[in-house]
């Protein structure tokens, strides 16, 4: 399957919340974790075998357990997959921004859990049928760790006997997988065509479906690298085998997207993230009630921009900045009314992130605020800055809001489109100057230049919508 076709199709599935993820060991290895051979290396030596000469690692694990019991394997799993041995990667962080309710994995580690926790996303874990008893129904994401969890290594699926009794202990899990594959499109990541885990999962899928596949599913895999082959004949043989493998994957309902290197996965996922959140706009700003531009510029600009965003089918995220927050809410409310969105559905179109101001001195406020900002901005692709000032020591003097500047930095780190309304002053003026000096793509656009001089609220709001639409066309 062509990469562009996959990106378009999976993006649309994500937008309508009909997408799921299936994560394999390749994603964990990028974070520093071991592979199967590393786990079984010492065990193989104990029974006078060489793990590098073994293709059937499931049987190798079975050989060891039969002769030595399972204790050392369990200890190795617990040791290798400690949290300190691996940190969530950028791929994990991108995936956390996807609007999925279900993540499936054959990995033992806690990378997915830690990523969701860092993103303030609640989750519940399923490892086998017994897990459903303690499932949290309020969790936003359900993680299915079908081969077990490092917290209970004795139950991890690794030996031939474990695989043989898998269906018996995962009857409900497999039923859920079948149902989900009927309604959602899955993206398989971190699996190679020689991966033991995916072979096992796919064999279950084939039994479940009997060659009927209601949804298209996807798997990103690496092309054969000629430089890693012994000679031309070896390269041709492996290419031919890959072709057969791709045809076989089609029988499971999986469409293979080939890439030159697995390093491309991050760029592909980032492209999907941009498209998914292209309609999500972050609005930052604050002002003091003494600002002379309050009534004829700043407040009406915030209201009009918010109103027109909602009317243009965009969604708004905001930290409810000082005095600006009510303006944003008022504009968004009017926009919702104009397009027939009922008051009860307001929160589906506007996300308000409150910041706890009255925290005790013992709490690390900077860390909490940074986390709130990063997680809010991570699910947007456009950032608008309006004014952004703060009273200096409760006097009539003001400074550029440090919070707004930090939200600008977070927006840049997230590669958002930056739209500062320079004529509202404050941090927005400074941000416009910085963007203009950097000669970024948007700074070359005529609409951006006009934001430095235009003072009429209606005209400013039209410029902002025009900039957003021009940016969005790049991905349509």
């Amino acid at each position: 399957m062509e990469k562009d076709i996959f990106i378009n199709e999976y993006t649309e599935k994500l937008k309508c919340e009909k997408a799921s993820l299936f994560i394999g060991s390749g994603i964990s290895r990028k974070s520093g974790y071991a592979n199967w051979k590393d786990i079984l290396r010492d065990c193989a030596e104990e029974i006078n075998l060489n793990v590098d000469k073994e293709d059937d690692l499931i049987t190798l694990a079975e050989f060891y357990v039969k002769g030595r019991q399972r204790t050392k394997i369990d200890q190795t799993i617990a040791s290798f997959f400690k949290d300190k041995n691996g940190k969530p990667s950028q791929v994990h962080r991108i995936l956390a921004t996807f609007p999925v309710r279900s993540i499936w994995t054959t990995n033992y580690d806690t990378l997915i859990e830690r990523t969701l926790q860092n993103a303030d996303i609640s989750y519940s874990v399923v490892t086998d049928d017994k897990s459903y008893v303690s499932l949290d129904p309020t969790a936003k994401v359900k993680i299915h760790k079908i081969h077990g969890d490092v917290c209970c290594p004795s139950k991890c699926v690794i030996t031939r006997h474990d695989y043989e009794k898998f269906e018996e202990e995962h009857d409900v899990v497999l039923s859920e997988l079948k149902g989900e594959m009927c309604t959602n499109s899955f993206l398989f990541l971190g699996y190679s065509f020689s991966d033991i885990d995916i072979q096992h999962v796919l064999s279950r899928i084939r039994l479940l479906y009997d060659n009927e596949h209601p949804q298209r599913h996807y798997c990103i895999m690496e092309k054969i690298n000629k430089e890693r082959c012994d000679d031309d004949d070896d390269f041709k043989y492996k290419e031919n085998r890959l072709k057969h493998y791709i045809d076989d994957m089609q029988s499971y309902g999986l469409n293979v997207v080939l890439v030159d290197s697995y390093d491309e996965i991050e760029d592909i996922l980032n492209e999907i993230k941009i498209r998914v959140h292209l309609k999500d706009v972050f609005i930052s700003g604050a002002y003091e009630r003494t600002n002379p531009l309050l009534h004829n510029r700043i407040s009406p600009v915030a209201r009009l921009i918010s109103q027109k965003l909602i009317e243009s089918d965009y969604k708004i995220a905001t930290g409810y900045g000082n005095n600006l927050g009510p303006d944003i809410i008022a504009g968004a409310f009017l926009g919702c009314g104009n397009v027939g969105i009922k008051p009860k559905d307001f929160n589906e179109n506007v996300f308000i992130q409150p910041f706890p101001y009255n925290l005790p001195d013992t709490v690390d406020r900077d860390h909490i605020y940074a986390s709130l900002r990063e997680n809010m901005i991570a699910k947007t692709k456009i950032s608008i800055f309006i004014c952004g000032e703060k009273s200096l020591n409760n006097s009539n003097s003001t400074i550029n809001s440090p919070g707004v500047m930090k939200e600008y930095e977070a927006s840049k780190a997230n590669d958002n489109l930056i739209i500062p309304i320079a004529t509202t002053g404050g941090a927005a003026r400074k941000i416009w100057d910085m963007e203009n000096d950097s000669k970024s793509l948007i700074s070359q656009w005529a609409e951006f230049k006009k934001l430095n001089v235009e003072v009429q609220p209606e005209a400013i709001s039209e410029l902002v919508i025009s900039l957003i639409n021009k940016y969005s066309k790049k991905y349509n």
Side-chain angles (χ1 to χ4, degrees):
M1 171 178 271
E2 293 296 324
K3 184 168 63 176
D4 290 344
I5 295 175
F6 155 67
I7 289 174
N8 288 333
E9 289 186 359
Y10 194 68
T11 296
E12 290 307 310
K13 289 293 184 178
L14 283 166
K15 286 180 179 179
C16 62
E17 297 186 358
K18 290 293 182 182
S20 299
L21 295 167
F22 215 122
I23 309 299
S25 60
I27 301 300
S28 291
R29 283 200 294 276
K30 285 288 185 181
S31 293
Y33 279 121
N35 58 27
W36 266 59
K37 288 192 173 183
D38 292 329
I39 296 169
L40 295 174
R41 189 171 302 280
D42 289 347
C43 295
E45 289 179 3
E46 277 194 33
I47 56 175
N48 299 316
L49 292 175
N50 185 341
V51 72
D52 293 319
K53 294 182 179 180
E54 297 292 329
D55 293 324
D56 187 353
L57 299 180
I58 294 172
T59 300
L60 173 60
E62 187 70 23
F63 288 163
Y64 183 84
V65 170
K66 286 283 178 64
R68 297 285 198 285
Q69 297 187 342
R70 183 178 169 127
T71 306
K72 184 165 185 174
I73 289 180
D74 294 345
Q75 291 173 343
T76 303
I77 290 173
S79 175
F80 276 36
F81 293 102
K82 288 179 179 177
D83 286 0
K84 68 177 184 179
N85 292 340
K87 295 181 179 180
S89 65
Q90 182 61 15
V91 166
H92 287 99
R93 288 186 284 274
I94 294 172
L95 293 176
T97 69
F98 285 6
V100 296
R101 297 297 304 271
S102 184
I103 300 175
W104 298 73
T105 183
T106 50
N107 298 341
Y108 308 138
D109 59 69
T110 63
L111 287 168
I112 297 171
E113 294 94 310
R114 283 183 278 154
T115 304
L116 294 179
Q117 185 174 357
N118 291 340
D120 290 331
I121 299 172
S122 59
Y123 63 86
S124 196
V125 177
V126 171
T127 54
D128 54 27
D129 291 352
K130 294 178 181 178
S131 303
Y132 287 93
V133 176
S134 56
L135 198 63
D136 179 5
T138 66
K140 292 182 179 179
V141 176
K142 188 190 296 182
I143 306 172
H144 301 80
K145 305 184 77 169
I146 63 173
H147 282 179
D149 190 298
V150 64
C151 70
C152 192
S154 63
K155 292 187 177 181
C156 288
V157 177
I158 191 167
T159 69
R160 188 175 63 224
H161 178 67
D162 295 332
Y163 280 90
E164 288 170 350
K165 67 176 184 177
F166 178 85
E167 193 165 351
E168 176 186 332
E169 297 182 354
H170 295 78
D171 182 55
V172 177
V173 174
L174 289 171
S175 294
E176 185 172 1
L177 177 60
K178 178 180 181 180
E180 199 168 318
M181 293 194 81
C182 285
T183 59
N184 288 13
S185 286
F186 275 69
L187 170 58
F188 288 76
L189 290 172
Y191 293 102
S192 69
F193 69 88
S194 60
D195 199 302
I196 299 168
D197 284 332
I198 197 172
Q199 297 297 337
H200 175 240
V201 171
L202 292 180
S203 67
R204 300 297 97 193
I205 293 172
R206 175 172 280 173
L207 290 174
L208 292 172
Y209 275 106
D210 193 26
N211 293 324
E212 294 182 11
H213 307 284
Q215 296 292 336
R216 283 162 72 91
H217 308 294
Y218 312 95
C219 185
I220 300 178
M221 290 191 171
E222 195 175 46
K223 296 177 184 176
I224 301 300
N225 188 324
K226 192 171 185 178
E227 294 180 359
R228 297 178 194 161
C229 298
D230 297 335
D231 49 37
D232 286 345
D233 289 339
D234 184 43
F235 173 67
K236 290 177 183 177
Y237 178 83
K238 288 179 178 176
E239 274 209 321
N240 184 49
R241 189 177 188 282
L242 177 60
K243 178 181 178 300
H244 287 298
Y245 182 79
I246 291 172
D247 291 341
D248 187 49
M249 294 284 269
Q250 287 281 356
S251 70
Y252 296 109
L254 266 74
N255 296 273
V256 176
V257 181
L258 288 176
V259 294
D260 293 326
S261 167
Y262 281 124
D263 292 337
E264 293 179 43
I265 288 178
E266 184 177 321
D267 290 336
I268 292 172
L269 295 179
N270 198 52
E271 177 77 9
I272 293 173
K273 175 189 171 182
I274 291 172
R275 292 168 184 258
V276 168
H277 294 295
L278 205 53
K279 286 281 188 177
D280 298 313
V281 181
F282 172 66
I283 302 180
S284 173
Y287 63 81
E288 297 296 334
R289 302 299 301 181
T290 54
N291 192 310
L293 299 178
L294 163 60
H295 296 295
N296 64 355
R297 193 177 308 170
I298 300 173
S299 183
V301 161
R303 287 199 305 271
L304 280 169
I305 288 175
S306 301
Q307 178 181 333
K308 290 185 178 183
L309 284 172
I310 296 296
E311 291 172 350
S312 301
D313 197 31
Y314 288 90
K315 294 184 179 181
I316 295 171
T318 180
Y320 207 76
N322 185 37
N323 292 317
L324 193 76
D327 296 329
I328 294 170
I329 300 308
F333 190 85
L334 289 172
C336 286
N338 290 343
V339 295
I341 298 173
K342 296 179 180 179
K344 68 181 181 67
D345 297 323
F346 180 83
N347 288 342
E348 294 181 11
N349 296 274
V350 180
F351 173 74
I352 304 169
Q353 176 60 71
F355 281 70
Y357 292 109
N358 297 323
L359 291 172
D361 293 338
T362 55
V363 175
D364 187 348
R365 178 180 300 193
D366 290 343
H367 176 75
I368 292 174
Y369 280 20
S371 178
L372 291 173
R373 288 188 175 104
E374 288 170 9
N375 291 333
M376 176 170 49
I377 293 169
K379 294 184 179 181
T380 67
K381 284 314 299 177
I382 298 158
S383 293
I384 299 171
F385 298 89
I386 303 172
C387 191
E389 64 178 11
K390 179 181 180 181
S391 175
L392 183 61
N393 299 323
N394 296 318
S395 67
N396 289 330
S397 299
T398 62
I399 60 171
N400 290 337
S401 168
V404 171
M405 292 308 299
K406 288 176 181 176
E407 286 166 355
Y408 166 64
E409 292 168 6
S411 296
K412 290 288 284 184
N414 197 53
D415 199 27
N416 279 20
L417 178 73
I418 306 296
I419 304 179
I421 317 300
T423 52
T424 59
R429 157 61 63 192
K430 180 178 181 180
I431 292 168
W432 190 94
D433 289 339
M434 292 170 68
E435 287 295 302
N436 190 54
D437 290 344
S438 72
K439 302 197 184 308
S440 61
L441 176 62
I442 187 177
S443 70
Q444 308 305 309
W445 295 349
E447 296 90 340
F448 180 89
K449 299 293 187 185
K450 290 178 182 178
L451 289 177
N452 187 42
V453 294
E454 183 58 65
V455 297
Q456 296 301 318
E458 181 69 34
I460 290 172
S461 64
E462 291 294 342
L463 288 172
V464 170
I465 297 299
S466 178
L467 279 168
I468 293 174
N469 289 338
K470 182 182 287 191
Y471 174 71
S472 299
K473 284 180 182 178
K474 292 171 55 184
Y475 300 97
N476 293 331

